[in-house]
Amino acid sequence: MDLEEAFQVVGEFGTYQKRAVAILTLLQIYMACQSMLIVLIGAAPSHTTERLENTGAGTEVQGSSQISFTEDSSSIVAEWYLIKHQAYKVHLAGSLFFAGVLIGNVFFGPLSDRIGRRPVFLGALFFEVLFGYVSALAPSYEVFALSRLLVGLMNGGMALVCFVLTQEYVGKSYWAMTGTLTNMTFAVGIALFAALGYFIRPWRNLAMAANSPGVLFFLLCVTLPESPRWLYSRGKTQQAEQVLQELAQRNGNGRPILKLRRPPGLDRPDGSSSSTGLAPLVLHPVLRRRTLVLMYVWYTCSLVYYGLTMNASEDTGNRYLSVAMYGLVELPAYPLCIYFINKKWAGRRKTMASFLACAGVSCLLTMIIPAKSESWFNATSLALVGKLMVSAAFNIVYVYTSELYPTVIRNAGLGVCSMSCRVGGILAPFVPSMRVVHESMPFTVFCLSGISAGCLGLLLPETLNKPVAETLDELGSPAYQRIVESKVRLLEDEEEEEEEKKEKGPKHKLNG
């Protein structure tokens, strides 16, 4: 039997799989806290600059002037006086985190395809928690900045494999749901981090509190098994059968006898393939075209998503409420995603492109509406709509990308796409500061990026109701395409039969 048939026997989303996915999904709260940390601990308190006369506590001499903080706020800005010509260091710390995530995606993605999901995931999570404590205890800005780079490095490897595991532990029919739950929990994590920051004001205590849940999650994740899909894609069918049998037993389905057929395209006796790594993404014509388009789409999603979120710290008013709102506004996006991407007339491709274009249009309208309008229809509300739309697109692109790449190279593909995504994350902290050039500059960037990415996304193939390729040989195989077409026709026939039954049902009742 093939892997999907085995999941039908084991259970596509049984009790144990629900527990495993719940652990990995709740881990997104920890990742959200690490990603958004700089938004609150890097907030600049109110201050005044005066001609130097007397130097007292709470001041820092800079040339012939002194800086006095008029707001009682604890942050890295107040501790290390990161204002004026030193203000760029706050944005630099945020960008270093995403630079680390970029490197982590490039390094850990192919590594997890080669040596396994579990060891890479656990190793990266352990060191992310360790370096997170270094951030909280950093004696100087330089140590803090270096620790943020290292936290991002581990976060890039861990987050990528975490998402893939939520997909590979369950049957394909549940991929959209688990992917959506993962991204939705990240949004909840942003709101919870804002609440945590409201109650814990000292920045070191906040960094410590935000990092501590990682210890609990590491202990819970140690019990998780290796991905059966990865074992199968590498030709380790016996080990894959053992993991699947354990899943079945813990799901309450006994210990069934499974016999997986060896996947095609594995050219070495040990089950390894010469077509792993990054080379197929460049050499394979189908993968090359998909990867180029997906890289730009991921870059745009990250740039607009994090740019709008970090723009919350630039807004006037309660910064904690602003950060929470930019997190909570995402939640309506996820039910919309689940509804549209599973509809035959919408699917993954059209829905993703539409949400990206709508995000761009929302950012365009913010440049027309006055920023200080007293009406509910103002620039801030439009920016929140833009965040909702790009969040929906970001959620879809995660699920969509995992379906476009074969299992044997899925993490490498996601790693390269995430690399371009992190380029957007690196640039995102600097985009809100472009308003010093012109008030509309940040939203001009978001608008053009969203609309262009939506148009390019239409070049990708649809994956709704189509089986996932396990190896590269299946990707361009005529036989595999015939299997795909037959399964699509079968699903369409089943849908037509269900619709006919629904239509005939009321008539029979009336006749009776």
Side-chain angles (χ1 to χ4, degrees), residues 229-284:
R229 290 184 183 274
W230 177 82
L231 292 169
Y232 177 74
S233 69
R234 300 291 288 178
K236 301 178 180 181
T237 54
Q238 291 185 349
Q239 292 174 265
E241 290 166 3
Q242 290 176 0
V243 173
L244 289 169
Q245 287 173 341
E246 290 176 4
L247 291 179
Q249 190 172 14
R250 294 180 181 182
N251 286 338
N253 297 329
R255 198 173 180 87
I257 298 174
L258 303 172
K259 188 62 177 177
L260 297 173
R261 69 170 66 99
R262 185 178 176 81
L266 298 176
D267 50 9
R268 295 179 183 175
D270 62 353
S272 62
S273 172
S274 60
S275 297
T276 57
L278 300 178
L281 301 179
V282 178
L283 300 177
H284 198 290

Side-chain angles (χ1 to χ4, degrees), residues 473-489:
D473 284 12
E474 295 178 5
L475 194 63
S477 170
Y480 177 72
Q481 294 302 320
R482 287 195 294 270
I483 293 172
V484 170
E485 292 172 2
S486 64
K487 288 189 176 181
V488 170
R489 285 196 298 270

Side-chain angles (χ1 to χ4, degrees), residues 325-348:
M325 284 300 298
Y326 273 88
L328 293 175
V329 75
E330 297 181 35
L331 297 183
Y334 301 110
L336 289 174
C337 289
I338 294 176
Y339 176 77
F340 284 113
I341 65 177
N342 290 315
K343 293 296 180 181
K344 181 181 174 182
W345 48 268
R348 274 68 159 151

Side-chain angles (χ1 to χ4, degrees), residues 117-351:
R117 315 298 199 215
R118 189 173 180 274
V120 172
F121 170 68
L122 292 176
L125 177 56
F126 174 81
F127 283 105
E128 180 174 359
V129 174
L130 180 64
F131 293 133
Y133 283 121
V134 175
S135 294
L137 302 173
S140 64
Y141 170 79
E142 289 74 19
V143 175
F144 175 81
L146 178 61
S147 68
R148 296 315 296 165
L149 174 66
L150 295 174
V151 168
L153 178 68
M154 299 303 154
N155 184 278
M158 185 268 292
L160 179 67
V161 184
C162 177
F163 177 82
V164 170
L165 284 174
T166 63
Q167 307 275 284
E168 296 187 349
Y169 280 151
V170 302
K172 185 182 178 295
S173 59
Y174 288 90
W175 281 19
M177 185 192 69
T178 57
T180 299
L181 285 174
T182 300
N183 292 317
M184 183 172 66
T185 309
F186 189 90
V188 173
I190 294 175
L192 291 176
F193 175 65
L196 187 67
Y198 178 80
F199 291 105
I200 304 177
R201 297 301 176 90
W203 77 265
R204 292 184 184 275
N205 293 346
L206 176 59
M208 189 77 71
N211 190 61
S212 294
V215 178
L216 174 62
F217 283 116
F218 175 78
L219 296 175
L220 291 173
C221 290
V222 168
T223 63
L224 298 179
E226 181 57 271
S227 163
R229 290 184 183 274
W230 177 82
L231 292 169
Y232 177 74
S233 69
R234 300 291 288 178
K236 301 178 180 181
T237 54
Q238 291 185 349
Q239 292 174 265
E241 290 166 3
Q242 290 176 0
V243 173
L244 289 169
Q245 287 173 341
E246 290 176 4
L247 291 179
Q249 190 172 14
R250 294 180 181 182
N251 286 338
N253 297 329
R255 198 173 180 87
I257 298 174
L258 303 172
K259 188 62 177 177
L260 297 173
R261 69 170 66 99
R262 185 178 176 81
L266 298 176
D267 50 9
R268 295 179 183 175
D270 62 353
S272 62
S273 172
S274 60
S275 297
T276 57
L278 300 178
L281 301 179
V282 178
L283 300 177
H284 198 290
V286 175
L287 290 178
R288 180 170 61 244
R289 183 171 61 254
R290 292 182 184 181
T291 301
L292 287 174
V293 174
L294 287 169
M295 284 177 70
Y296 184 71
V297 172
W298 278 69
Y299 160 81
T300 297
C301 287
S302 179
L303 179 72
V304 180
Y305 180 92
Y306 288 109
L308 288 174
T309 304
M310 293 182 176
N311 190 62
S313 63
E314 305 284 337
D315 292 344
T316 56
N318 191 321
R319 68 173 65 96
Y320 303 100
L321 180 61
S322 297
V323 172
M325 284 300 298
Y326 273 88
L328 293 175
V329 75
E330 297 181 35
L331 297 183
Y334 301 110
L336 289 174
C337 289
I338 294 176
Y339 176 77
F340 284 113
I341 65 177
N342 290 315
K343 293 296 180 181
K344 181 181 174 182
W345 48 268
R348 274 68 159 151
R349 180 173 61 100
K350 293 179 182 178
T351 306

Side-chain angles (χ1 to χ4, degrees), residues 364-474:
L364 174 64
L365 293 176
T366 59
M367 298 182 286
I368 302 173
I369 305 299
K372 297 183 179 179
S373 174
E374 295 182 359
S375 171
W376 65 270
F377 188 72
N378 52 31
T380 301
S381 62
L382 284 169
L384 289 171
V385 172
K387 178 68 187 301
L388 184 149
M389 294 296 169
V390 78
S391 300
F394 215 162
N395 174 63
I396 296 168
V397 77
Y398 265 97
V399 178
Y400 192 26
T401 303
S402 64
E403 294 176 347
L404 286 170
Y405 285 107
T407 301
V408 73
I409 200 171
R410 182 169 297 126
N411 258 21
L414 281 167
V416 170
C417 292
S418 294
M419 177 188 70
S420 61
C421 168
R422 303 317 164 188
V423 173
I426 292 170
L427 297 176
F430 293 98
V431 175
S433 63
M434 292 174 67
R435 63 177 60 186
V436 298
V437 179
H438 192 275
E439 191 69 24
S440 65
M441 278 298 291
F443 292 101
T444 302
V445 173
F446 300 147
C447 166
L448 295 176
S449 300
I451 293 175
S452 59
C455 294
L456 282 176
L458 293 173
L459 300 176
L460 297 169
E462 182 56 67
T463 59
L464 178 63
N465 294 332
K466 295 181 180 179
V468 178
E470 301 294 341
T471 65
L472 294 179
D473 284 12
E474 295 178 5

Side-chain angles (χ1 to χ4, degrees), residues 87-105:
Y88 76 93
K89 291 184 177 181
V90 179
H91 301 303
L92 179 62
S95 293
L96 283 173
F97 173 84
F98 288 106
V101 174
L102 185 154
I103 299 169
N105 290 154

